[in-house]
Amino acid sequence: AQKITQTQPGMFVQEKEAVTLDCTYDTSDPSYGLFWYKQPSSGEMIFLIYQGSYDQQNATEGRYSLNFQKARKSANLVISASQLGDSAMYFCAMRVTGGGNKLTFGTGTQLKVEL
Amino acid sequence: GAVVSQHPSWVICKSGTSVKIECRSLDFQATTMFWYRQFPKQSLMLMATSNEGSKATYEQGVEKDKFLINHASLTLSTLTVTSAHPEDSSFYICSARFASSYNEQFFGPGTRLTVL
């Protein structure tokens, strides 16, 4: 079985600062993918970034980067230069190759960006 | 591209009635659609996986007779909550993928169901 753990129920960050949202995972499948999604109060799920288990380099997408530490089974999301619009719920998710493309989500981290 | 819509965006119904939620892929053919349920301040929980033209695969603990899923075409899947009760009140989100979208599911905007 796959499991995603997000230990930070809520985080505060000041505008323009960087913030790291933690995510650890557990799977016995050697081939998997890790995702981060943003869910604002409106409810839609916005895809942010993806990291494959065999990717040699950490994924980056604009202000988002994924700190992938395979041995530690962690896939932390780093948001640089935080903006007020970054305030939202953030979910880490995992898909294993043998899992029928199903996503398993963590419990989420509520991020609040302050002035 | 890769837009998924849901209809309705919110619905209020009386206990005992049935509610149908539609999920459409607007600009691609969705080989697989997924239905999730999200209770307030909780994570998304997968309810079922639906492949076009075949029966949906339900997750453990999800009653297939209560949550009827139909994926009749490559652009439309429907979730019908039958005999809805207040405990079925939740945010229902669908997602879709096409054959070559290996890394990504595209999510709909969600449907908020309130059962009185």
mmCIF file of all heavy atoms in Angstrom, chain A residues 4-35:
data_model
loop_
_atom_site.group_PDB
_atom_site.id
_atom_site.type_symbol
_atom_site.label_atom_id
_atom_site.label_comp_id
_atom_site.label_asym_id
_atom_site.label_seq_id
_atom_site.Cartn_x
_atom_site.Cartn_y
_atom_site.Cartn_z
ATOM 1 N N ILE A 4 1.145 8.683 1.820
ATOM 2 C CA ILE A 4 1.735 10.022 1.738
ATOM 3 C C ILE A 4 1.499 10.710 3.063
ATOM 4 O O ILE A 4 0.366 10.709 3.572
ATOM 5 C CB ILE A 4 1.071 10.839 0.614
ATOM 6 C CG1 ILE A 4 1.440 10.286 -0.744
ATOM 7 C CG2 ILE A 4 1.445 12.301 0.713
ATOM 8 C CD1 ILE A 4 2.773 10.705 -1.261
ATOM 9 N N THR A 5 2.524 11.315 3.602
ATOM 10 C CA THR A 5 2.409 11.995 4.890
ATOM 11 C C THR A 5 2.824 13.449 4.758
ATOM 12 O O THR A 5 3.916 13.756 4.284
ATOM 13 C CB THR A 5 3.289 11.303 5.949
ATOM 14 O OG1 THR A 5 2.898 9.929 6.063
ATOM 15 C CG2 THR A 5 3.119 11.971 7.309
ATOM 16 N N GLN A 6 1.926 14.322 5.155
ATOM 17 C CA GLN A 6 2.232 15.746 5.247
ATOM 18 C C GLN A 6 2.028 16.129 6.705
ATOM 19 O O GLN A 6 0.913 16.111 7.204
ATOM 20 C CB GLN A 6 1.314 16.563 4.333
ATOM 21 C CG GLN A 6 1.558 16.300 2.858
ATOM 22 C CD GLN A 6 0.639 17.109 1.962
ATOM 23 O OE1 GLN A 6 -0.329 16.595 1.409
ATOM 24 N NE2 GLN A 6 0.934 18.386 1.829
ATOM 25 N N THR A 7 3.098 16.475 7.377
ATOM 26 C CA THR A 7 3.049 16.668 8.825
ATOM 27 C C THR A 7 2.702 18.082 9.242
ATOM 28 O O THR A 7 2.520 18.357 10.421
ATOM 29 C CB THR A 7 4.390 16.285 9.458
ATOM 30 O OG1 THR A 7 5.416 17.085 8.843
ATOM 31 C CG2 THR A 7 4.696 14.810 9.246
ATOM 32 N N GLN A 8 2.652 19.000 8.297
ATOM 33 C CA GLN A 8 2.381 20.399 8.628
ATOM 34 C C GLN A 8 0.935 20.742 8.271
ATOM 35 O O GLN A 8 0.633 20.974 7.110
ATOM 36 C CB GLN A 8 3.308 21.326 7.841
ATOM 37 C CG GLN A 8 4.785 21.029 7.995
ATOM 38 C CD GLN A 8 5.571 21.518 6.780
ATOM 39 O OE1 GLN A 8 5.191 21.278 5.640
ATOM 40 N NE2 GLN A 8 6.686 22.201 7.011
ATOM 41 N N PRO A 9 0.042 20.789 9.232
ATOM 42 C CA PRO A 9 -1.334 21.150 8.890
ATOM 43 C C PRO A 9 -1.452 22.596 8.426
ATOM 44 O O PRO A 9 -2.319 22.911 7.602
ATOM 45 C CB PRO A 9 -2.106 20.925 10.193
ATOM 46 C CG PRO A 9 -1.079 20.815 11.265
ATOM 47 C CD PRO A 9 0.202 20.417 10.628
ATOM 48 N N GLY A 10 -0.580 23.471 8.949
ATOM 49 C CA GLY A 10 -0.646 24.872 8.544
ATOM 50 C C GLY A 10 0.730 25.514 8.599
ATOM 51 O O GLY A 10 1.581 25.147 9.410
ATOM 52 N N MET A 11 0.938 26.450 7.669
ATOM 53 C CA MET A 11 2.212 27.166 7.622
ATOM 54 C C MET A 11 1.938 28.638 7.329
ATOM 55 O O MET A 11 1.025 28.972 6.574
ATOM 56 C CB MET A 11 3.113 26.613 6.501
ATOM 57 C CG MET A 11 3.662 25.225 6.743
ATOM 58 S SD MET A 11 5.077 25.280 7.834
ATOM 59 C CE MET A 11 6.317 25.958 6.735
ATOM 60 N N PHE A 12 2.771 29.499 7.934
ATOM 61 C CA PHE A 12 2.736 30.921 7.618
ATOM 62 C C PHE A 12 4.061 31.305 6.976
ATOM 63 O O PHE A 12 5.109 30.798 7.358
ATOM 64 C CB PHE A 12 2.524 31.756 8.885
ATOM 65 C CG PHE A 12 1.143 31.667 9.448
ATOM 66 C CD1 PHE A 12 0.837 30.723 10.423
ATOM 67 C CD2 PHE A 12 0.145 32.526 9.018
ATOM 68 C CE1 PHE A 12 -0.446 30.639 10.953
ATOM 69 C CE2 PHE A 12 -1.135 32.450 9.544
ATOM 70 C CZ PHE A 12 -1.428 31.506 10.509
ATOM 71 N N VAL A 13 4.001 32.201 6.020
ATOM 72 C CA VAL A 13 5.222 32.724 5.416
ATOM 73 C C VAL A 13 4.983 34.182 5.065
ATOM 74 O O VAL A 13 3.860 34.577 4.729
ATOM 75 C CB VAL A 13 5.636 31.921 4.162
ATOM 76 C CG1 VAL A 13 4.603 32.043 3.051
ATOM 77 C CG2 VAL A 13 7.007 32.330 3.670
ATOM 78 N N GLN A 14 6.029 34.952 5.140
ATOM 79 C CA GLN A 14 5.905 36.368 4.766
ATOM 80 C C GLN A 14 6.080 36.504 3.254
ATOM 81 O O GLN A 14 6.853 35.760 2.635
ATOM 82 C CB GLN A 14 6.939 37.193 5.506
ATOM 83 C CG GLN A 14 6.610 37.381 6.975
ATOM 84 C CD GLN A 14 7.144 38.689 7.504
ATOM 85 O OE1 GLN A 14 8.319 38.978 7.284
ATOM 86 N NE2 GLN A 14 6.322 39.451 8.194
ATOM 87 N N GLU A 15 5.373 37.462 2.747
ATOM 88 C CA GLU A 15 5.466 37.750 1.318
ATOM 89 C C GLU A 15 6.932 37.926 0.920
ATOM 90 O O GLU A 15 7.715 38.504 1.659
ATOM 91 C CB GLU A 15 4.677 39.022 1.014
ATOM 92 C CG GLU A 15 4.362 39.242 -0.443
ATOM 93 C CD GLU A 15 3.605 40.541 -0.676
ATOM 94 O OE1 GLU A 15 3.688 41.434 0.197
ATOM 95 O OE2 GLU A 15 2.946 40.657 -1.713
ATOM 96 N N LYS A 16 7.270 37.364 -0.238
ATOM 97 C CA LYS A 16 8.601 37.439 -0.840
ATOM 98 C C LYS A 16 9.608 36.462 -0.224
ATOM 99 O O LYS A 16 10.724 36.334 -0.735
ATOM 100 C CB LYS A 16 9.182 38.856 -0.806
ATOM 101 C CG LYS A 16 8.323 39.872 -1.552
ATOM 102 C CD LYS A 16 8.900 41.269 -1.477
ATOM 103 C CE LYS A 16 7.926 42.267 -2.104
ATOM 104 N NZ LYS A 16 8.408 43.660 -1.978
ATOM 105 N N GLU A 17 9.211 35.804 0.850
ATOM 106 C CA GLU A 17 10.092 34.803 1.436
ATOM 107 C C GLU A 17 9.858 33.450 0.765
ATOM 108 O O GLU A 17 8.850 33.227 0.097
ATOM 109 C CB GLU A 17 9.836 34.674 2.940
ATOM 110 C CG GLU A 17 10.113 35.936 3.728
ATOM 111 C CD GLU A 17 11.591 36.242 3.812
ATOM 112 O OE1 GLU A 17 12.367 35.338 4.159
ATOM 113 O OE2 GLU A 17 11.960 37.396 3.503
ATOM 114 N N ALA A 18 10.805 32.528 0.974
ATOM 115 C CA ALA A 18 10.649 31.160 0.491
ATOM 116 C C ALA A 18 10.040 30.296 1.597
ATOM 117 O O ALA A 18 10.209 30.586 2.783
ATOM 118 C CB ALA A 18 11.987 30.597 0.063
ATOM 119 N N VAL A 19 9.342 29.260 1.190
ATOM 120 C CA VAL A 19 8.732 28.355 2.163
ATOM 121 C C VAL A 19 8.865 26.923 1.650
ATOM 122 O O VAL A 19 8.820 26.685 0.437
ATOM 123 C CB VAL A 19 7.249 28.724 2.410
ATOM 124 C CG1 VAL A 19 6.415 28.555 1.159
ATOM 125 C CG2 VAL A 19 6.667 27.914 3.559
ATOM 126 N N THR A 20 9.058 26.000 2.583
ATOM 127 C CA THR A 20 9.161 24.584 2.233
ATOM 128 C C THR A 20 8.006 23.823 2.868
ATOM 129 O O THR A 20 7.785 23.902 4.085
ATOM 130 C CB THR A 20 10.484 23.980 2.739
ATOM 131 O OG1 THR A 20 11.577 24.649 2.088
ATOM 132 C CG2 THR A 20 10.555 22.495 2.399
ATOM 133 N N LEU A 21 7.294 23.093 2.046
ATOM 134 C CA LEU A 21 6.196 22.256 2.522
ATOM 135 C C LEU A 21 6.660 20.803 2.467
ATOM 136 O O LEU A 21 7.124 20.334 1.432
ATOM 137 C CB LEU A 21 4.953 22.451 1.645
ATOM 138 C CG LEU A 21 4.477 23.892 1.481
ATOM 139 C CD1 LEU A 21 3.189 23.942 0.675
ATOM 140 C CD2 LEU A 21 4.272 24.570 2.821
ATOM 141 N N ASP A 22 6.525 20.117 3.586
ATOM 142 C CA ASP A 22 7.091 18.780 3.704
ATOM 143 C C ASP A 22 6.153 17.694 3.174
ATOM 144 O O ASP A 22 4.923 17.789 3.298
ATOM 145 C CB ASP A 22 7.413 18.475 5.176
ATOM 146 C CG ASP A 22 8.509 19.365 5.722
ATOM 147 O OD1 ASP A 22 9.256 19.958 4.920
ATOM 148 O OD2 ASP A 22 8.612 19.476 6.961
ATOM 149 N N CYS A 23 6.767 16.658 2.630
ATOM 150 C CA CYS A 23 6.010 15.499 2.160
ATOM 151 C C CYS A 23 6.925 14.282 2.227
ATOM 152 O O CYS A 23 8.037 14.314 1.693
ATOM 153 C CB CYS A 23 5.533 15.709 0.724
ATOM 154 S SG CYS A 23 4.765 14.253 -0.035
ATOM 155 N N THR A 24 6.485 13.259 2.903
ATOM 156 C CA THR A 24 7.191 11.985 2.860
ATOM 157 C C THR A 24 6.240 10.932 2.318
ATOM 158 O O THR A 24 5.022 11.068 2.409
ATOM 159 C CB THR A 24 7.715 11.559 4.238
ATOM 160 O OG1 THR A 24 6.616 11.474 5.155
ATOM 161 C CG2 THR A 24 8.739 12.534 4.765
ATOM 162 N N TYR A 25 6.815 9.888 1.759
ATOM 163 C CA TYR A 25 5.985 8.888 1.112
ATOM 164 C C TYR A 25 6.511 7.499 1.442
ATOM 165 O O TYR A 25 7.656 7.341 1.891
ATOM 166 C CB TYR A 25 5.953 9.111 -0.404
ATOM 167 C CG TYR A 25 7.310 9.031 -1.063
ATOM 168 C CD1 TYR A 25 7.793 7.836 -1.582
ATOM 169 C CD2 TYR A 25 8.124 10.162 -1.149
ATOM 170 C CE1 TYR A 25 9.035 7.760 -2.174
ATOM 171 C CE2 TYR A 25 9.376 10.103 -1.735
ATOM 172 C CZ TYR A 25 9.828 8.893 -2.252
ATOM 173 O OH TYR A 25 11.072 8.826 -2.835
ATOM 174 N N ASP A 26 5.676 6.532 1.198
ATOM 175 C CA ASP A 26 6.069 5.156 1.431
ATOM 176 C C ASP A 26 5.455 4.280 0.340
ATOM 177 O O ASP A 26 4.237 4.314 0.127
ATOM 178 C CB ASP A 26 5.597 4.684 2.813
ATOM 179 C CG ASP A 26 6.196 3.336 3.185
ATOM 180 O OD1 ASP A 26 7.285 3.004 2.671
ATOM 181 O OD2 ASP A 26 5.582 2.611 3.982
ATOM 182 N N THR A 27 6.294 3.544 -0.332
ATOM 183 C CA THR A 27 5.843 2.583 -1.325
ATOM 184 C C THR A 27 6.934 1.553 -1.536
ATOM 185 O O THR A 27 8.117 1.841 -1.366
ATOM 186 C CB THR A 27 5.504 3.261 -2.663
ATOM 187 O OG1 THR A 27 5.055 2.271 -3.593
ATOM 188 C CG2 THR A 27 6.711 3.977 -3.263
ATOM 189 N N SER A 28 6.525 0.359 -1.909
ATOM 190 C CA SER A 28 7.494 -0.679 -2.228
ATOM 191 C C SER A 28 7.708 -0.786 -3.733
ATOM 192 O O SER A 28 8.577 -1.545 -4.189
ATOM 193 C CB SER A 28 7.019 -2.033 -1.674
ATOM 194 O OG SER A 28 5.736 -2.341 -2.174
ATOM 195 N N ASP A 29 6.928 -0.020 -4.487
ATOM 196 C CA ASP A 29 7.066 -0.033 -5.942
ATOM 197 C C ASP A 29 8.260 0.833 -6.335
ATOM 198 O O ASP A 29 8.360 1.982 -5.886
ATOM 199 C CB ASP A 29 5.784 0.522 -6.575
ATOM 200 C CG ASP A 29 5.657 0.156 -8.043
ATOM 201 O OD1 ASP A 29 6.621 0.383 -8.805
ATOM 202 O OD2 ASP A 29 4.583 -0.342 -8.435
ATOM 203 N N PRO A 30 9.185 0.323 -7.151
ATOM 204 C CA PRO A 30 10.362 1.117 -7.503
ATOM 205 C C PRO A 30 10.054 2.232 -8.509
ATOM 206 O O PRO A 30 10.853 3.154 -8.675
ATOM 207 C CB PRO A 30 11.304 0.075 -8.117
ATOM 208 C CG PRO A 30 10.389 -0.980 -8.644
ATOM 209 C CD PRO A 30 9.234 -1.041 -7.709
ATOM 210 N N SER A 31 8.919 2.136 -9.167
ATOM 211 C CA SER A 31 8.563 3.127 -10.178
ATOM 212 C C SER A 31 7.322 3.885 -9.717
ATOM 213 O O SER A 31 6.245 3.306 -9.554
ATOM 214 C CB SER A 31 8.282 2.427 -11.514
ATOM 215 O OG SER A 31 7.906 3.371 -12.486
ATOM 216 N N TYR A 32 7.492 5.177 -9.504
ATOM 217 C CA TYR A 32 6.382 5.979 -8.994
ATOM 218 C C TYR A 32 6.577 7.430 -9.397
ATOM 219 O O TYR A 32 7.651 7.829 -9.869
ATOM 220 C CB TYR A 32 6.259 5.863 -7.464
ATOM 221 C CG TYR A 32 7.546 6.138 -6.710
ATOM 222 C CD1 TYR A 32 7.884 7.432 -6.331
ATOM 223 C CD2 TYR A 32 8.418 5.099 -6.399
ATOM 224 C CE1 TYR A 32 9.064 7.685 -5.661
ATOM 225 C CE2 TYR A 32 9.611 5.345 -5.728
ATOM 226 C CZ TYR A 32 9.929 6.635 -5.358
ATOM 227 O OH TYR A 32 11.105 6.887 -4.699
ATOM 228 N N GLY A 33 5.534 8.194 -9.244
ATOM 229 C CA GLY A 33 5.599 9.617 -9.527
ATOM 230 C C GLY A 33 5.039 10.400 -8.358
ATOM 231 O O GLY A 33 4.116 9.949 -7.678
ATOM 232 N N LEU A 34 5.600 11.556 -8.131
ATOM 233 C CA LEU A 34 5.171 12.410 -7.028
ATOM 234 C C LEU A 34 4.666 13.733 -7.588
ATOM 235 O O LEU A 34 5.268 14.302 -8.497
ATOM 236 C CB LEU A 34 6.332 12.644 -6.071
ATOM 237 C CG LEU A 34 6.826 11.363 -5.405
ATOM 238 C CD1 LEU A 34 8.263 11.506 -4.948
ATOM 239 C CD2 LEU A 34 5.920 10.989 -4.240
ATOM 240 N N PHE A 35 3.566 14.192 -7.053
ATOM 241 C CA PHE A 35 2.907 15.386 -7.552
ATOM 242 C C PHE A 35 2.639 16.350 -6.405
ATOM 243 O O PHE A 35 2.439 15.933 -5.271
ATOM 244 C CB PHE A 35 1.534 15.040 -8.162
ATOM 245 C CG PHE A 35 1.572 14.049 -9.283
ATOM 246 C CD1 PHE A 35 1.768 12.693 -9.046
ATOM 247 C CD2 PHE A 35 1.383 14.473 -10.590
ATOM 248 C CE1 PHE A 35 1.786 11.772 -10.087
ATOM 249 C CE2 PHE A 35 1.392 13.561 -11.641
ATOM 250 C CZ PHE A 35 1.591 12.217 -11.383
#
